[in-house]
Amino acid sequence: MNRLVRWLEDYVLPIAKRLGQIRWLVALRDAFVSLMPITIAGSLAVLIKSLVEAAKIHLGWNAFAFAMQPFVSISNLVWRGTFSLFAFFFALALGYQLAKAFEGNRLAAAIVSLSSFALSIASFAKIKFHGDSILIRDAFDISQFSTTGLFTTILFGSAGFFIYWACYKARIMVHLSANLPHAEQAAFDSMIPAIIAIFSVGGINYLFQALTGQYLGDWLLTSIQMPLVKWGQGFGTVLLVTMLVQVFWFFGINGLGVLSPILDSIWLTAQNSNITAVRNGRIPPYLWGRGSFDVFAWFGGAGGTVMLIVAILMFSKRSDYRTVAKIALAPGIFNIGEPILLGLPVVLNPVYLIPFVLAPVVSVAFSYWVSVMGLVNPVQVAVPSIMPPIIGPFLACNYDWRAIVLSIVDMLITLAIWTPFVIAADKIADTNNPKTFFTTQFFFTFR
């Protein structure tokens, strides 16, 4: 085990550190996080509509459904103002977070990013009229304002920003009197860099369209984004990402933070497509979404550590472990795992390496194949990450009671994996340096 830990330290840890220091990836992660209010609001709109429909169809509560129609109408409005414009909002958030990371004008960068995205999606729309398809030119295809255009947003929002930032740092700008108000001075400073960035992105799109006869945003959607999303539905891909998150966390590096750009770009896109499908009365097209990891593997935080807490309280005789577990129980119920990860600790503790990596992998594998067999709805609603286990899966799977059963089974599997190592940890201690909750140095020896 010590050799395995040293190998991970030598080859995996440096990669994780380098990824965590790439400012573009940090900005991409923060952009997704900053849209959490929009994501949750749109998901609540889906939940309300689904609840009313379920009450009417399955329980026969017609009067209740009729009384709730105003709330359903409000939910439809909320949906159109949040989830249906996800890529639009993401373009703004990405430009802002990139400017924050690279120390630029945040408002100007957000506008440049949004403009770069808007001119990169198809400038025509197709509508159906009496069974015929009519092409309308010089119009936005608003479907790409949702998560459909997310990859285009990331690529051209970033490209527009970096061209703008390079010109801004090179001081290619209009120099005016310093007596101008700050807002006007900032606008003039950003004017030339923004014009160069927007025209550059426009030129790229024009050349691609002239050479291929296809809009670049459409090509990105069909040639890159959709294949990536479908690749993310593979069993091996899901397991690999789950394992990498755990390995990074074992060394004290937030695995979700490091891999967030990958998780959100691929699996959040799939999840949002499911949410959109359910909202429009269609079958969710994807098996595994971003929230699937949270509700079926990372309950209590990375590693399913809420079950580690339960195992300690049930089987451990070490007073120091039990003290930490009692303190970490309440945060763990709300999927906050840092108290147990850093307080026990689990991080850099060879005793817990195997269950910390294995438990989520087994839970994900089991849940994946249960979903493949159609025994539970795929995740089709975004729920807050602090939603407690059992409740979270029930809501995320759109009121599917089978998700409760699956969540309980996953938790029992995780408890069974953690328990032998908790019992073993009782026998592993340095008797010359007894650990207490207030001790800052922990030593582990094998007897």
Side-chain angles (χ1 to χ4, degrees), residues 117-434:
F117 161 65
L119 60 85
S120 300
I121 61 176
S123 59
F124 66 87
K126 292 181 179 180
I127 62 172
K128 293 287 186 179
F129 184 74
H130 295 306
D132 297 326
S133 180
I134 300 176
L135 182 68
I136 301 177
R137 297 190 180 277
D138 300 322
F140 285 119
D141 179 6
I142 62 172
S143 66
Q144 292 207 46
F145 281 158
S146 66
T147 52
T148 302
L150 191 57
F151 195 84
T152 306
T153 312
I154 294 173
L155 181 60
F156 284 105
S158 300
F161 167 78
F162 283 115
I163 296 172
Y164 160 80
W165 181 73
C167 296
Y168 189 85
K169 287 298 181 181
R171 307 297 293 175
I172 303 175
M173 59 183 61
V174 177
H175 298 281
L176 297 176
S177 171
N179 295 326
L180 283 176
H182 174 74
E184 294 183 18
Q185 185 65 57
F188 277 108
D189 288 347
S190 299
M191 181 173 62
I192 301 300
I195 291 173
I196 294 174
I198 292 171
F199 269 86
S200 297
V201 175
I204 294 171
N205 281 273
Y206 170 78
L207 288 174
F208 186 88
Q209 183 181 347
L211 293 173
T212 65
Q214 187 178 11
Y215 289 97
L216 187 49
D218 289 343
W219 181 83
L220 289 172
L221 174 64
T222 57
S223 301
I224 298 180
Q225 179 173 330
M226 300 314 297
L228 277 176
V229 173
K230 292 179 180 179
W231 173 74
Q233 299 302 299
F235 180 62
T237 307
V238 171
L239 286 191
L240 176 62
V241 170
T242 305
M243 183 178 66
L244 287 176
V245 169
Q246 298 305 126
V247 171
F248 288 164
W249 253 120
F250 177 76
F251 290 98
I253 297 173
N254 189 325
L256 291 175
V258 171
L259 296 177
S260 177
I262 297 174
L263 285 164
D264 292 339
S265 299
I266 296 177
W267 285 282
L268 184 59
T269 300
Q271 177 175 295
N272 289 348
S273 296
N274 284 354
I275 295 173
T276 301
V278 171
R279 164 64 179 74
N280 295 324
R282 293 184 279 108
I283 297 175
Y286 295 107
L287 182 75
W288 200 263
R290 173 63 183 83
S292 304
F293 294 100
D294 295 328
V295 298
F296 295 134
W298 295 328
F299 35 81
T305 47
V306 71
M307 302 315 296
L308 167 61
I309 296 172
V310 172
I312 290 174
L313 295 177
M314 291 178 63
F315 302 106
S316 179
K317 298 179 181 179
R318 292 184 58 169
S319 60
D320 51 348
Y321 276 18
R322 295 180 64 84
T323 300
V324 175
K326 290 175 183 177
I327 294 174
L329 179 60
I333 291 174
F334 294 95
N335 300 325
I336 301 172
E338 282 79 0
I340 193 70
L341 289 175
L342 304 176
L344 198 59
V346 175
V347 170
L348 289 175
N349 186 341
V351 179
Y352 289 133
L353 172 61
I354 293 176
F356 187 63
V357 175
L358 182 63
V361 169
V362 173
S363 296
V364 163
F366 181 73
S367 301
Y368 181 92
W369 289 110
V370 168
S371 301
V372 167
M373 291 184 287
L375 300 179
V376 67
N377 286 342
V379 169
Q380 49 198 247
V381 173
V383 297
S385 60
I386 60 171
M387 190 66 66
I390 300 177
I391 299 175
F394 177 64
L395 296 177
C397 295
N398 206 4
Y399 305 113
D400 187 352
W401 63 269
R402 298 171 298 179
I404 297 177
V405 177
L406 177 57
S407 177
I408 293 174
V409 172
D410 284 334
M411 294 172 71
L412 291 176
I413 292 173
T414 302
L415 178 63
I417 293 173
W418 275 111
T419 297
F421 293 90
V422 169
I423 295 173
D426 274 8
K427 304 176 182 179
I428 301 172
D430 186 348
T431 56
N432 296 323
N433 295 279

